[in-house]
Amino acid sequence: MTEAEAEAAAVDAWFADTLALSDPALDAALAANVDAGLPAIDVSPAQGKLLHLLARMAGARRILEIGTLGGYSTIHLARALPEGGRVTTLEVDPKHAETARANLARAGMAERVDIRVGRALDTLAALEAEGAGPFDLVFVDADKPSNPHYLASALRLSRPGTVLIFDNVVREGAVVDAASTDASVVGTRAVIETIGREKRLTATAIQTLGVKGWDGFALAIVGEA
Ligand code: SAH
Ligand code: DHB
Ligand code: MG
């Protein structure tokens, strides 16, 4: 960790304390993830709360998440739903999905969340075939090489006004390396370039520095075709 990252992590810790960004259900989810041997790649407490706030600001009733892990971000999103709202979250790893199921139940969110296990390319195709959606907000946080595909699918599952959020679009600055052969960087660059060209999308990207190091989100809203 660089000195700037260490200082930013201290600021994140102070925000987490002072703004009460954590609570027993969120802490228990992170502890259960560690016990189950899941990688600690959940969004940070402050980022999770940002997802929650964006969902509330958008008035989201139907939320799609690609990449569940242990459901830490899912709890933040599910808590933003009004009565009758629903999160559909897609996860390829059955152990991650099981851990998320337990974490969501402990957080009292189980009945609002539909976890679909399988490769997101397949579960998205199934959602499209079922005529699911339109979703009000889509959070994309799975395998980065597939991000261009996830954008295309998210657009098909959207309506004008749908909010799209992509995690991890900075990758310690690697995203600007046009010569990168890292498939995650290639996928991230491709999705940002497509978002920039897509006439239906109004978008930005915001860098973040904190407990999760240097990274960032891309945010977009869908307009009329
Ligand atoms: N959103 C979570 C973190 C997700 S980590 C949070 O912030 O709490 C990324 C997750 O995507 C991992 O659980 C990984 O198993 C899953 N994943 C990776 N490739 C996938 C694929 N092809 N389809 C669905 N999920 C995938
Ligand atoms: C990784 C994935 C994530 O979604 C994240 O937020 C951080 C790291 C990873 O695969 O390393
Ligand atoms: Mg992520």
Side-chain angles (χ1 to χ4, degrees):
M1 199 185 276
T2 65
E3 197 177 327
E5 281 175 351
E7 288 177 22
V11 173
D12 249 358
W14 185 76
F15 281 152
D17 248 19
T18 311
L19 297 172
L21 298 178
S22 292
D23 57 49
L26 290 169
D27 291 342
L30 294 180
N33 290 355
V34 171
D35 286 349
L38 270 50
I41 56 175
D42 342 66
V43 291
S44 73
Q47 291 167 344
K49 199 63 170 284
L50 173 65
L51 294 173
H52 173 88
L53 290 169
L54 290 168
R56 296 259 303 269
M57 288 168 181
R61 301 184 65 85
R62 281 183 288 194
I63 296 176
L64 174 63
E65 176 177 67
I66 308 175
T68 315
L69 191 64
Y72 182 80
S73 54
T74 322
I75 293 171
H76 279 287
L77 290 167
R79 286 176 171 176
L81 293 170
E83 191 62 38
R86 202 140 188 87
V87 177
T88 301
T89 184
L90 312 181
E91 174 55 55
V92 71
D93 187 319
K95 185 174 87 172
H96 295 186
E98 256 333 291
T99 307
R101 228 180 286 287
N103 287 336
L104 286 158
R106 200 184 298 103
M109 293 294 121
E111 68 292 338
R112 304 183 187 190
V113 180
D114 177 18
I115 306 177
R116 300 214 177 184
V117 183
R119 293 190 323 150
L121 293 179
D122 301 328
T123 49
L124 285 167
L127 284 171
E128 291 182 40
E130 284 167 27
F135 291 93
D136 305 312
L137 182 146
V138 183
F139 176 49
V140 183
D141 190 21
D143 53 317
K144 314 311 173 190
S146 298
N147 271 345
H149 180 94
Y150 297 152
L151 172 63
S153 187
L155 281 169
R156 291 192 291 270
L157 292 164
S158 292
R159 53 153 176 94
T162 295
V163 172
L164 307 181
I165 307 165
F166 287 79
D167 193 22
N168 311 116
V169 300
V170 175
R171 318 194 65 82
E172 303 273 332
V175 71
V176 295
D177 182 4
S180 177
T181 55
D182 176 336
S184 291
V185 172
V186 173
T188 300
R189 287 179 57 82
V191 83
I192 297 284
E193 285 163 0
T194 305
I195 290 170
R197 278 194 306 267
E198 172 57 63
K199 296 276 189 292
R200 278 172 292 176
L201 292 175
T202 302
T204 189
I206 290 294
Q207 302 185 64
T208 56
L209 192 63
V211 280
K212 297 284 164 175
W214 177 24
D215 215 324
F217 292 107
L219 304 170
I221 190 163
V222 179
E224 303 293 336

